[in-house]
Amino acid sequence: MILNGRRRGTPKRTGRLLASPSSCQRLGAASCKPSKGEWIRLSDPKITNVRVLDVRFPTSRHQIGSDAVNTDPDYSAAYCILETDVGIEGYGLAFTLGHGTELCVLALEYLAQFVQGRKLSSVTDDTVAFSKQLTEDSQFRWLGPEKGVIHLAAAALINAVWDLYARTEGKPLWRLLADFEPEQIVRSIDFKYIDDAITRDEALELLRRRTASQAERLERLEQHGYPAYTTSAGWFGFTDDKIRRLCREALSQGWTHFKLKVGGNPTDDLRRGQLIREEIGPHKKLMMDANQKWGVIEAIQRTKELAELDPWWMEEPTSPDDILGHARIRREVSPVRIATGEHCHNRVMFKQFMQAGALDVCQIDSCRVAGVNENLAVLLMAAKFDIPVCPHAGGVGLCECVQHLAIFDYLRVSTSLEDRVAEFVDHLHEHFVDPARIVNGHYLLPENPGYSTEIRSETLLAYQYPNGPVWSDPRVSVVT
């Protein structure tokens, strides 16, 4: 990161030493791992403190992330760090767009009481019970329940626990989950409110049936990676020339799936769509995202108008809460597929979308529902309903997180890559210790222990809101 035209040295890390001074500075570093004795000491650390930070990036200055509804987003995160008595830490975040991040911070600070002072095993032995502690607090849940600010905060804390869990096991999260027995996966899911769509026994039978050939699937991912698509060329605020240039760059990098933000003037949407289609050709996939801009009637009309461009899907054509509206749109714009899910509050909404036949593509978000546990429930429901999962990503850390869920889904749940791609947005990855890696339009398998959620310490200092130099010093030159 460049500050005032010079590179800032990395500040000294605090709370990162492991069980002994002679051990590695970072758990899971490829060249040095804790000894057997240290693994024993690290296997059940006590969570001694929870730090919560408001971290914001001024992406609105460059129209990064802009769409028809969110015209000036500053990609941000309510970020939590679980500190332990042995130095190892767990990291989690809730993705936001700037204003209101402070509300998620306050909610996280409240929920931190449920994990502080506990041994990790007291949480991981029953992650569903822990999740319920966060979502069923009899007074706090009134602010949701299981939606909005308090659910985003729950997601951040739950994901931080899973990150810490995977780090202590010395595995990337996708492998931790993939190594679970079917019974362990099912024990990680709260079936309350969804057992009319999938029962515990049905989930267990599905997982057992799809265990076969897991080694072959893993080998395929190791060789080729998990397929992805790019949104980086199609932001709403980009000029036509910039879109053309970015499409050409993406094609040279091996991308085959492109997403365009729509929802503006109909003539402009059609022109920009034609522009991308001209650049990528007739055989590459073009997806469109209206970001909730239209009502149901307008969504039907506008999707039909854009159908000549052969969109692979139309994403969030109307209010993310309007399940029946999505169902009607899907019926009337076929064969254009309807994709949604990044703003589904919880597993119950996903259940209803699937039961109502309201979506063709399920777009989970790693930080919108209550973290890993609730996303496991959605993956299993999607598998039962035979709906492909194409995760939403981008933002701050969403690519880093969701790659783990997509890989797990292929290895253990859906066992298919047909019509499946995970979103990738090429912004802000340099701020993560273990950033997502893309080659030829595919995510490479994460190798380091954890959920890939650790933000660099120098980034936390520079971008903390409102006192970090990026926000408090107008002379600072920002790299995003």
Side-chain angles (χ1 to χ4, degrees):
M1 182 187 65
I2 307 299
L3 299 178
N4 294 327
R6 65 181 178 85
R7 185 168 297 278
R8 182 185 291 274
T10 302
K12 181 180 179 182
R13 289 184 178 274
T14 58
R16 293 293 300 160
L17 289 177
L18 299 179
S20 73
S22 62
S23 61
C24 281
Q25 290 287 324
R26 185 173 303 283
L27 179 62
S31 60
C32 179
K33 293 185 178 181
S35 67
K36 182 177 179 180
E38 287 170 332
W39 279 124
I40 293 172
R41 294 184 64 186
L42 289 170
S43 63
D44 194 18
K46 180 180 180 180
I47 300 167
T48 56
N49 188 44
V50 181
R51 294 171 55 204
V52 183
L53 304 174
D54 184 334
V55 183
R56 306 189 193 188
F57 300 88
T59 49
S60 63
R61 300 177 189 177
H62 308 285
Q63 293 293 297
I64 293 170
S66 57
D67 58 55
V69 173
N70 307 293
T71 56
D72 59 347
D74 283 329
Y75 279 3
S76 307
Y79 186 67
C80 67
I81 303 172
L82 306 183
E83 299 176 344
T84 72
D85 60 346
V86 294
I88 187 174
E89 294 173 349
Y91 308 89
L93 58 87
F95 170 58
T96 60
L97 293 186
H99 300 160
T101 307
E102 65 276 12
L103 302 179
C104 287
V105 167
L106 289 172
L108 254 174
E109 290 173 342
Y110 174 79
L111 292 177
Q113 65 180 302
F114 295 106
V115 73
Q116 190 161 335
R118 296 178 63 171
K119 288 282 190 177
L120 179 61
S121 64
S122 74
V123 176
T124 58
D125 284 350
D126 191 343
T127 55
V128 169
F130 173 66
S131 179
K132 286 183 174 182
Q133 281 188 299
L134 306 187
T135 60
E136 295 185 358
D137 178 286
S138 63
Q139 295 183 11
F140 200 60
R141 75 182 300 273
W142 184 261
L143 302 178
E146 296 188 59
K147 62 177 68 72
V149 167
I150 64 172
H151 218 47
L152 293 173
L157 193 57
I158 290 168
N159 285 342
V161 166
W162 279 96
D163 178 62
L164 181 61
Y165 185 12
R167 287 170 183 269
T168 61
E169 294 294 323
K171 299 177 181 181
L173 181 79
W174 66 263
R175 186 177 289 277
L176 176 73
L177 294 172
D179 287 347
F180 275 6
E181 294 296 327
E183 292 79 6
Q184 289 177 281
I185 298 172
V186 169
R187 284 200 301 270
S188 301
I189 296 169
D190 183 3
F191 287 88
K192 184 178 181 180
Y193 303 138
I194 63 170
D195 57 3
D196 57 320
I198 186 169
T199 67
R200 186 181 304 273
D201 289 341
E202 286 175 322
L204 192 57
E205 191 275 330
L206 184 151
L207 290 165
R208 287 171 175 166
R209 188 174 68 249
R210 298 188 178 184
T211 298
S213 302
Q214 182 177 334
E216 289 81 356
R217 291 192 292 276
L218 178 56
E219 183 178 1
R220 178 174 178 175
L221 291 180
E222 290 173 337
Q223 292 177 351
H224 304 289
Y226 191 94
Y229 72 89
T230 179
T231 306
S232 298
W235 293 120
F236 196 75
F238 286 179
T239 65
D240 289 2
D241 287 342
K242 186 170 186 178
I243 291 174
R244 285 190 184 276
R245 175 176 60 81
L246 292 174
C247 282
R248 292 169 186 173
E249 291 177 2
L251 285 168
S252 71
Q253 296 164 0
W255 290 100
T256 58
H257 294 66
F258 298 75
K259 189 163 80 177
L260 173 68
K261 296 292 185 174
V262 297
N265 179 280
T267 302
D268 290 340
D269 281 351
L270 185 60
R271 187 194 75 255
R272 294 168 71 245
Q274 290 171 336
L275 183 156
I276 288 191
R277 180 54 80 190
E278 289 171 5
E279 292 294 334
I280 69 176
H283 303 300
K284 301 292 193 295
K285 302 295 187 184
L286 172 60
M287 298 88 91
M288 298 181 180
D289 186 357
N291 287 98
Q292 316 160 28
K293 179 66 173 180
W294 304 317
V296 172
I297 303 301
E298 186 178 10
I300 293 169
Q301 177 185 345
R302 295 288 295 275
T303 301
K304 288 180 176 180
E305 291 171 354
L306 293 165
E308 67 180 75
L309 300 173
D310 190 25
W312 203 43
W313 72 54
M314 178 61 75
E315 181 174 337
E316 281 198 319
T318 191
S319 166
D321 298 341
D322 191 352
I323 297 168
L324 296 182
H326 275 82
R328 179 180 173 183
I329 295 168
R330 179 174 179 259
R331 288 194 303 269
E332 297 194 25
V333 304
S334 179
V336 177
R337 300 187 305 159
I338 298 301
T340 196
E342 70 177 88
H343 282 91
C344 279
H345 307 302
N346 50 51
R347 64 198 183 281
V348 181
M349 281 198 69
F350 276 106
K351 177 193 74 171
Q352 293 178 351
F353 266 101
M354 294 176 193
Q355 289 176 327
L359 79 172
D360 297 286
V361 179
C362 174
Q363 296 179 304
I364 62 169
D365 182 284
S366 57
C367 301
R368 173 67 62 175
V369 299
V372 172
N373 299 76
E374 197 161 25
N375 269 308
L376 295 180
V378 178
L379 292 177
L380 279 160
M381 285 191 291
K384 180 182 175 181
F385 283 85
D386 196 25
I387 296 172
V389 174
C390 296
H392 166 254
V396 179
L398 300 185
C399 297
E400 278 67 29
C401 292
V402 85
Q403 59 182 335
H404 292 266
L405 301 176
I407 291 165
F408 165 76
D409 179 51
Y410 173 55
L411 291 176
R412 296 299 305 274
V413 184
S414 71
T415 67
S416 173
L417 294 179
E418 184 178 0
D419 290 339
R420 286 166 169 82
V421 283
E423 186 171 19
F424 181 76
V425 178
D426 193 16
H427 306 297
L428 305 179
H429 302 291
E430 68 273 19
H431 298 289
F432 284 82
V433 171
D434 185 21
R437 300 171 298 149
I438 292 283
V439 174
N440 291 325
H442 288 70
Y443 280 95
L444 300 185
L445 295 184
E447 298 175 348
N448 294 331
Y451 202 6
S452 305
T453 41
E454 181 181 3
I455 295 178
R456 294 184 177 277
S457 57
E458 60 267 31
T459 292
L460 297 178
L461 288 174
Y463 291 88
Q464 188 168 348
Y465 187 86
N467 298 318
V470 166
W471 295 104
S472 62
D473 188 345
R475 298 169 298 172
V476 171
S477 175
V478 181
V479 176
T480 57

